[in-house]
Amino acid sequence: MIDKTAVTDHPIEPALAGRWSPRAFAAEMIDDTTTASLFEAARWSPSANNLQPWAFIHGARGKQDFDRLLGCLNDSNASWAGNAALLVIGIARSTKADGSVNAYARYDLGQAVAHLTFQATALGLHLHQMAGFDREKTRAELGIPAEYEPVSAIAIGYLGDPSNLPQPLRDRELATRTRNPTSTFVFPGRWPG
Ligand SMILES: Cc1cc2nc3c(=O)[nH]c(=O)nc-3n(C[C@H](O)[C@H](O)[C@H](O)COP(=O)(O)O)c2cc1C
């Protein structure tokens, strides 16, 4: 199994450093207790006015639900995500109860997914988020109401063997992870210049 733990400039928590987005997943499934813990972590995420404007639709590999979710991904993502143990669609409630726009809905969904992500890492799982899916097809196929917006897809599973991936994906799997230095996006006091 490959280790793509972040090489950090400053110490961070192991569950943060150890997270990365694989495309090779093991055949092993995720038990129901573990799946429940993932969504429980999302549940306890903070949100603007505690509106909790998130929802998740999930399906485990081998079930019809999984195939329906897989069919909503673009071809490139579907080529590897079918090996994940669990597929999830992250959904934001874009409007508040009074019909006005909730400007923080996607922000809050993202934060809930971050909570889910680090719970997953702590439980030995890996997760790969995807923007590459058909939103209208997802809405229609999964029966998502108009006031909700499918925002991201997520493949979750235990790490697999990258040598099982086709060549271009294997190269990406083995590529070094890179990040901008904090000096390019963290500014003391005011915007630089
Ligand atoms: C919102 C979002 C959308 C993404 N969409 C895709 C995608 O459609 N396909 C894909 O292969 N990876 C996708 N990724 C994964 C990113 O490419 C990946 O997180 C990034 O390259 C950093 O790599 P790391 O997660 O291994 O640190 C997405 C990630 C996020 C957060």
Side-chain angles (χ1 to χ4, degrees):
M1 229 51 72
I2 50 173
D3 179 7
K4 295 183 72 170
T5 300
V7 179
T8 62
D9 293 339
H10 304 279
I12 62 174
E13 287 299 312
L16 295 163
R19 183 215 61 81
W20 61 279
S21 306
R23 292 184 176 83
F25 289 101
E28 188 178 350
M29 297 301 286
I30 304 171
D31 64 48
D32 290 347
T33 312
T34 301
T35 300
S37 290
L38 301 182
F39 293 116
E40 187 69 16
R43 179 181 174 224
W44 287 99
S45 179
S47 60
N49 289 111
N50 199 21
L51 289 179
Q52 306 161 60
W54 47 68
F56 300 95
I57 294 177
H58 62 98
R61 197 177 67 243
K63 303 256 176 68
Q64 214 178 357
D65 294 343
F66 183 93
D67 297 338
R68 200 180 301 114
L69 295 178
L70 188 63
C72 295
L73 303 183
N74 68 21
D75 290 347
S76 160
N77 287 330
S79 73
W80 54 265
N83 295 319
L86 192 71
L87 286 177
V88 179
I89 297 290
I91 300 160
R93 183 175 181 154
S94 344
T95 52
K96 301 180 188 175
D98 65 3
S100 63
V101 171
N102 179 0
Y104 286 91
R106 289 180 182 176
Y107 182 98
D108 291 341
L109 170 67
Q111 190 154 218
V113 172
H115 277 226
L116 186 159
T117 299
F118 299 116
Q119 183 66 38
T121 312
L123 294 171
L125 288 159
H126 275 72
L127 178 158
H128 198 136
Q129 298 181 56
M130 293 163 277
F133 69 102
D134 184 329
R135 280 151 190 75
E136 284 321 306
K137 182 175 181 186
T138 302
R139 180 184 291 289
E141 294 270 321
L142 308 185
I144 299 169
E147 66 272 28
Y148 288 82
E149 176 195 9
V151 175
S152 59
I154 313 170
I156 310 178
Y158 295 96
L159 267 190
D161 183 352
S163 62
N164 294 333
L165 291 170
Q167 188 60 57
L169 293 183
R170 195 184 316 163
D171 291 345
R172 287 172 78 177
E173 196 82 342
L174 300 175
T176 305
R177 299 174 62 214
T178 59
R179 286 299 189 272
N180 298 327
T182 50
S183 59
T184 63
F185 62 89
V186 180
F187 310 126
R190 57 175 292 139
W191 198 263

